[in-house]
Amino acid sequence: MRGDAALRPQYLEALGIDRWMARRPVAAAAPQAGGATGGWDVLAAEVRSCTLCGLHATRTQTVFGVGTTRAELLVVGEAPGADEDRQGEPFVGRAGQLLNSMLRAMRAPRETVYIANVLKCRPPGNRDPAPEEVRCCLPYLQRQIDLLAPRLMLAVGRIAAQSLLATDTPIGKLRGALHGFGTHGTPLIVTYHPAYLLRSPGEKRKSWADLRFVQRELVRLRAMPPATVA
Ligand code: URA
């Protein structure tokens, strides 16, 4: 397998970060979701036919989410862009390529996680989601979280972080802490959006610190019985 060992240094070099050697073995990839459960099928069908906000009128298609339904890590972005709207899958454009590198670098490649967005439809012209659109769409993400029951969530970007945590605190202040999402207090870490990192490569070093935080938390949370995870 030409796996992380080969790819990670490329990402770290692209970030301008010193090479870092793993002490732990690479975790085996979780199997891809084969047949979705009834819950997933019902939810996906609801999202496909959603007309709760005005975005349904301009979308090509909804973008539900992708990955294994057995994922420990749920990555949450903002909303589909033009590429995602065309292909029906989150993070398939340039930002998606960088997200894939980030996931590989932290030994959680795309096929082992679940990826979804706060909004399931593209805001025209890639404008920020309107509060009303977030209000309409968040319950779908909440139901995805209920079905997935991830150990850890990674909010990428200001919009995802602020929407999930119901705050207007700047992303720079949300990074570096373990937050709790929703009524179950699902552990949540915040990092920069890959599209922002493409525009501001100087921030990539901080994003790598966030990804290492995710790695450490996953190890810690795996060691905890579910009842004590908060
Ligand atoms: N940006 C996001 O936040 N989500 C996507 O799916 C694509 C780009």
Side-chain angles (χ1 to χ4, degrees), residues 63 76-81 84 89-93 95-96 115-117 156 193-195:
V63 178
V76 181
E78 175 182 330
E84 291 75 20
E89 182 171 328
F91 284 101
V92 291
I115 305 174
N117 285 308
V156 297
H193 195 287

Side-chain angles (χ1 to χ4, degrees), residues 55-62 82 84-88 121-122:
L55 294 182
H56 78 274
T58 49
R59 73 184 177 216
T60 304
Q61 60 190 311
T62 56
E84 291 75 20
D85 175 71
R86 241 187 330 267
Q87 296 186 39
C121 297
R122 180 191 182 210

Side-chain angles (χ1 to χ4, degrees), residues 121-141:
C121 297
R122 180 191 182 210
N126 295 341
R127 64 161 169 74
D128 285 354
E132 174 66 5
E133 292 158 359
V134 173
R135 195 186 63 74
C136 289
C137 221
L138 257 187
Y140 291 132
L141 181 65

Side-chain angles (χ1 to χ4, degrees), residues 28-163:
Q32 276 293 112
T37 66
W40 284 101
D41 286 345
V42 168
L43 181 55
E46 273 185 52
V47 167
R48 259 196 310 276
S49 61
C50 180
T51 56
L52 284 177
C53 80
L55 294 182
H56 78 274
T58 49
R59 73 184 177 216
T60 304
Q61 60 190 311
T62 56
V63 178
F64 181 72
V66 71
T68 168
T69 53
R70 295 167 57 177
E72 297 185 302
L73 180 65
L74 170 62
V75 178
V76 181
E78 175 182 330
D83 294 318
E84 291 75 20
D85 175 71
R86 241 187 330 267
Q87 296 186 39
E89 182 171 328
F91 284 101
V92 291
R94 270 189 80 217
Q97 297 310 306
L98 180 55
L99 179 67
N100 290 347
S101 297
M102 293 162 71
L103 292 172
R104 281 197 301 264
M106 67 170 172
R107 303 186 179 284
R110 185 177 176 99
E111 60 276 11
T112 70
V113 305
Y114 197 89
I115 305 174
N117 285 308
V118 171
L119 292 195
K120 309 302 187 214
C121 297
R122 180 191 182 210
N126 295 341
R127 64 161 169 74
D128 285 354
E132 174 66 5
E133 292 158 359
V134 173
R135 195 186 63 74
C136 289
C137 221
L138 257 187
Y140 291 132
L141 181 65
Q142 179 64 67
R143 285 167 64 188
Q144 288 177 300
I145 294 165
D146 292 345
L147 286 167
L148 192 65
R151 274 192 216 280
L152 182 62
M153 294 169 61
L154 176 63
V156 297
R158 176 182 67 86
I159 301 277
Q162 293 182 341
S163 302

